[in-house]
Amino acid sequence: MGRVPRRAAAGRRSFASSLRRLEELAQSGAQVSVHVIELDSGRVVLSGDDHVPLPIAGLGIVPVLVETAAGFASRALDPLRIIDRPDDHVAGSGLWRHLRAPALPLVDLAVLAAAAGDPNAANALLDAVGHGQVRARMVSLGMPRSAVLDLFRDVRGPDDVPHAAVGTTREFATLFAGLVDSRAVDAAVSAQVAEWLSLNQDLSLVASATGLDPFAHDDDAHGLLFINKTGRDRGVRAEAGVLVGPRTGVAYALTVCFDDLSISHRLRAHDAFRVLGTDLMEFTH
C-alpha cells in the first residue's frame, strides 16, 4: 500500500492523526486497509485500500456467528445441541481448552467465540454450520471479496491454506453497520449477533480509546453504544466495530499486516489502532 487516500469527514473532525499514523505504517512496509462510514448518512468519512482482501484472523468469526444465529432463527440448528471438544483442539489460545466441561451447547460456544475469540468454539460452530453455508451467507451479505477459508489452527502446514480468513475493511465495516441497523439477514439475527459481540472482552486496540470496561460494556452508564471484534495473528491485527456517541455513530474496520520483527514493530501497529480510536471518539462526540 502507498499513501492512504486523504478522504475524511468534512466538519470539525478530519481524522488527520489517523491518516498520518497509517501513512507512516504504510511507508514502513506494512499493508494497511481502513474504512469508516457514518451510520445515519452512509457517508464514507475515511478510507484507504478498503477493497483489498487481507488476512483478518479471528475477525472471520463474525460471519460464522451470523450464520449460526440464522440457523438458530430458522430452527435448522438447535441452540442446545451438545458439541464435544475435539481431541486435536487448538492449544495456543482460547478459554474452552481450560474448562473442565468436555462438551458445550452451540449457543454457549457462540458466546465463547464472540466474547473471547475462542478458536475451538469457532471451529465447532464452523463445523456445525458448514463452510459452504458461511460462504453463501457472506455473498448474500455483500461480502464477495471476503472469505472464511479454513479452521483455526496452531500450525499451518504446506497443505493448509495460509490464513483462516481474509476480508476487506469495506465489507466488514458495512457488515457491522448492517448489524446495528437490523439489516444483517434480518432484525432478529442482527440483534442476536450484536448481543454476542457486545460481550467481546478485547478492547485493547481501537476500543482502548473508549474507556469502557472490557468485562461489562453492553450497558454503558454514559450511553456509549459499542460492539467490536478483533483478529490477531503473527503480523496481523484487525478490528471492526460500531461506535455510537451523542453526536453521531460510525461503523469502522482497520487491518494492518506488518513484519512482526520486534516489539517495536508490534507496538507501532497497535498505536495506529489507538489513534484511530481517539479520532472516532472525537468524531462521535
Side-chain angles (χ1 to χ4, degrees):
M1 176 178 175
R3 294 176 64 85
V4 177
R6 289 189 173 275
R7 296 177 57 189
R12 72 186 181 93
R13 301 302 179 193
S14 66
F15 291 92
S17 297
S18 295
L19 285 165
R20 184 166 56 252
R21 202 58 55 94
L22 294 175
E23 285 175 351
E24 290 170 357
L25 272 179
Q27 290 166 1
S28 72
Q31 290 180 284
V32 178
S33 176
V34 64
H35 190 84
V36 181
I37 52 178
E38 191 170 28
L39 293 175
D40 289 340
S41 66
R43 183 166 51 103
V44 178
V45 296
L46 176 65
S47 69
D49 280 3
D50 55 6
H51 64 290
V52 179
L54 294 175
I56 55 172
L59 183 54
I61 290 173
V62 179
V64 179
L65 292 173
V66 172
E67 185 58 28
T68 300
F72 291 169
S74 68
R75 299 190 178 180
L77 285 178
D78 179 359
L80 298 181
R81 174 183 162 193
I82 301 298
I83 302 294
D84 291 328
R85 182 171 51 210
D87 292 333
D88 57 344
H89 62 274
V90 178
S93 63
L95 293 178
W96 194 13
R97 65 194 178 102
H98 296 292
L99 300 181
R100 295 293 184 182
L104 289 170
L106 280 172
V107 67
D108 287 351
L109 295 178
V111 170
L112 274 179
D118 192 290
N120 294 299
N123 285 346
L125 294 176
L126 188 55
D127 280 341
V129 300
H131 274 87
Q133 290 296 107
V134 173
R135 190 160 45 244
R137 182 67 67 186
M138 293 177 76
V139 172
S140 73
L141 290 169
M143 305 179 72
R145 299 179 66 85
S146 303
V148 177
L149 303 171
D150 192 16
L151 298 173
F152 292 93
R153 304 178 186 273
D154 284 319
V155 178
R156 296 199 168 274
D159 296 328
D160 299 321
V161 295
H163 305 285
V166 296
T168 74
T169 53
R170 181 189 303 168
E171 291 177 353
F172 270 86
T174 301
L175 172 61
F176 270 78
L179 289 173
V180 297
D181 288 341
S182 301
R183 293 182 286 104
V185 183
D186 58 31
V189 170
S190 297
Q192 178 61 86
V193 177
E195 179 183 329
W196 285 333
L197 292 173
S198 71
L199 305 174
N200 181 33
Q201 296 179 351
D202 185 2
L203 304 189
S204 62
L205 296 176
V206 171
S208 64
T210 65
L212 290 167
D213 181 349
F215 305 109
H217 58 272
D218 55 335
D219 186 18
D220 179 54
H222 301 294
L224 195 66
L225 186 153
F226 181 77
I227 62 171
N228 79 318
K229 186 73 188 74
T230 58
R232 298 167 179 268
D233 203 350
R234 178 71 185 269
V236 175
R237 296 295 184 272
E239 181 171 344
V242 165
L243 175 64
V244 179
R247 193 176 76 88
T248 188
V250 293
Y252 69 89
L254 172 61
T255 301
V256 177
C257 298
F258 59 100
D259 291 326
D260 194 5
L261 302 177
S262 68
I263 291 177
S264 63
H265 286 78
R266 187 182 308 164
L267 293 179
R268 187 162 56 225
H270 283 208
D271 185 59
F273 283 86
R274 292 164 184 155
V275 171
L276 176 62
T278 299
D279 281 352
L280 291 175
M281 285 291 285
E282 291 179 347
F283 185 78
T284 58
H285 284 68

